[in-house]
Amino acid sequence: FELISLGSHPFGHCFVMKFNDVTFMLDCPLDMTPLTHFLPIPFVPSKRLEALKCLDDHCTPKTIAQQIKEVYPNYFLDGQLEFCLPELGAVDLSTIDAILISSYHCMLALPFITEHSSFHGKVFATEPTVRFGQQLMEELLYMAERVCKDRLPSQWKTKDCKDRLPSGLKNAVDTRCWKPLYNESDISCCLSKVQTVGCGQKVDLHGSVELVSLSSGYCIGSCNWLIQTPYQKIGYLVSSSQLTTHALPLDQTAMHNCDVLIMCGLTEAPAFTPDGMVGDFCTNLGLPDICVRGQ
């Protein structure tokens, strides 16, 4: 058994796991953090944004300085939006036999893998996850395509160039993993390769291991995964919830007696439930008084 984390930050869980001669990728989210370094996308043309000053630095190449705008005291990139992928270069994607998707939040980087790498394995997800994931991908693409800007010169990501940039851009992390978004064709081809499964359905993979998707109760279509052989059992426990919602309830029973349990997406405030917090908010807001006075 071997487990490698490819996530670029704590909440962007992406793992590669080797078990019983089979290699899995567990989720492939897309990190949106780089968007904080780009100028905002206006709904209508903005003369204010168009009038922003470029970076005035003789040490920075002119082609790069022209695409860095000043919003005092900060500087932002003014170019084609880019997103941060998992550390895909850390593994040989051609050796991955299957990708397991836990929810639609954790599949936005999938087109990069299926359409622009040497990966040729299988992808498993529930039907709602695929449909909601498609919707998110298309909305993300629509947002990115609204900005008809040139792609940023890749030279700005080099260490020598970054060291001369203003602090906000100089301290940007994992810039080597930043990529422009995929296109509509990539989304369509990618999703056509996904094999949908139902919660509780068992799938045999190469006669070596058995996969079982278990409802996580987190959102519609979300699931935890059980990867097992007759002698060993590994559980992949991601964002889960015991709250009664529109999603299928959390299935915990099958996770009992796992030899290995991979846990991620854990809450940092387990004592603060949404129901209780909404009640406290309404109490502190003085909602009854507002209703009585008709305001």
Side-chain angles (χ1 to χ4, degrees):
F1 173 81
E2 182 180 357
L3 185 68
I4 303 171
S5 175
L6 304 182
S8 57
H9 62 96
F11 301 103
H13 46 268
C14 177
F15 301 96
V16 168
M17 182 186 73
K18 297 180 181 179
F19 172 60
N20 203 38
D21 296 326
V22 181
T23 303
F24 299 92
M25 177 176 283
L26 307 176
D27 285 328
C28 49
L30 198 61
D31 184 4
M32 307 289 182
T33 306
L35 295 182
T36 61
H37 295 287
F38 287 81
L39 281 178
I41 303 175
F43 287 100
V44 295
S46 172
K47 293 183 179 180
R48 181 182 178 186
L49 291 180
E50 293 174 357
L52 291 175
K53 294 181 179 180
C54 298
L55 175 65
D56 185 12
D57 184 359
H58 298 294
C59 297
T60 303
K62 186 177 180 180
T63 55
I64 298 176
Q66 289 178 341
Q67 291 184 284
I68 298 178
K69 299 298 180 67
E70 178 184 4
V71 182
Y72 186 82
N74 301 310
Y75 289 85
F76 296 90
L77 299 169
D78 185 26
Q80 187 177 1
L81 299 180
E82 295 187 359
F83 303 81
C84 187
L85 276 64
E87 296 277 358
L88 301 179
V91 296
D92 182 0
L93 296 179
S94 66
T95 64
I96 295 177
D97 298 290
I99 299 177
L100 308 183
I101 304 296
S102 62
S103 72
Y104 50 84
H105 300 289
C106 300
M107 65 178 296
L108 297 183
L110 190 59
F112 287 107
I113 299 173
T114 61
E115 306 309 310
H116 300 284
S117 78
S118 57
F119 171 78
H120 54 268
K122 298 182 178 181
V123 184
F124 297 97
T126 63
E127 179 72 20
T129 291
V130 174
R131 297 303 158 217
F132 281 116
Q134 178 181 11
Q135 184 69 28
L136 282 179
M137 290 178 187
E138 291 175 348
E139 290 181 0
L140 198 60
L141 179 61
Y142 173 74
M143 178 193 72
E145 288 183 340
R146 287 180 55 195
V147 185
C148 298
K149 297 181 178 180
D150 296 331
R151 182 171 180 177
L152 292 166
S154 58
Q155 292 89 338
W156 83 269
K157 300 177 185 178
T158 62
K159 186 179 186 304
D160 291 340
C161 187
K162 279 186 65 179
D163 288 343
R164 296 193 294 266
L165 295 179
S167 59
L169 296 176
K170 179 170 64 176
N171 299 327
V173 297
D174 296 321
T175 54
R176 67 187 184 282
C177 295
W178 291 16
K179 301 291 182 184
L181 201 61
Y182 33 72
N183 56 43
E184 188 173 353
S185 176
D186 291 336
I187 296 175
S188 178
C189 293
C190 167
L191 296 180
S192 69
K193 299 173 183 176
V194 179
Q195 180 176 331
T196 58
V197 297
C199 287
Q201 180 180 344
K202 297 180 179 180
V203 179
D204 180 77
L205 187 63
H206 304 325
S208 300
V209 295
E210 183 180 70
L211 309 175
V212 186
S213 61
L214 306 170
S215 173
S216 68
Y218 175 65
C219 61
I220 296 178
S222 64
C223 65
N224 297 316
W225 287 93
L226 201 61
I227 305 154
Q228 60 187 4
T229 69
Y231 309 102
Q232 293 175 300
K233 183 164 69 171
I234 296 177
Y236 178 50
L237 183 65
V238 289
S239 301
S240 301
S241 175
Q242 292 181 310
L243 296 175
T244 302
T245 64
H246 46 274
L248 288 175
L250 173 64
D251 185 353
Q252 305 179 64
T253 306
M255 284 288 183
H256 294 172
N257 301 317
C258 282
D259 297 288
V260 177
L261 186 60
I262 304 169
M263 303 177 67
C264 55
L266 302 178
T267 177
E268 296 181 352
F272 297 97
T273 61
D275 292 344
M277 295 181 71
V278 170
D280 292 342
F281 174 77
C282 293
T283 300
N284 295 327
L285 184 65
L287 192 59
D289 292 338
I290 294 177
C291 293
V292 169
R293 296 174 186 176
Q295 299 178 350

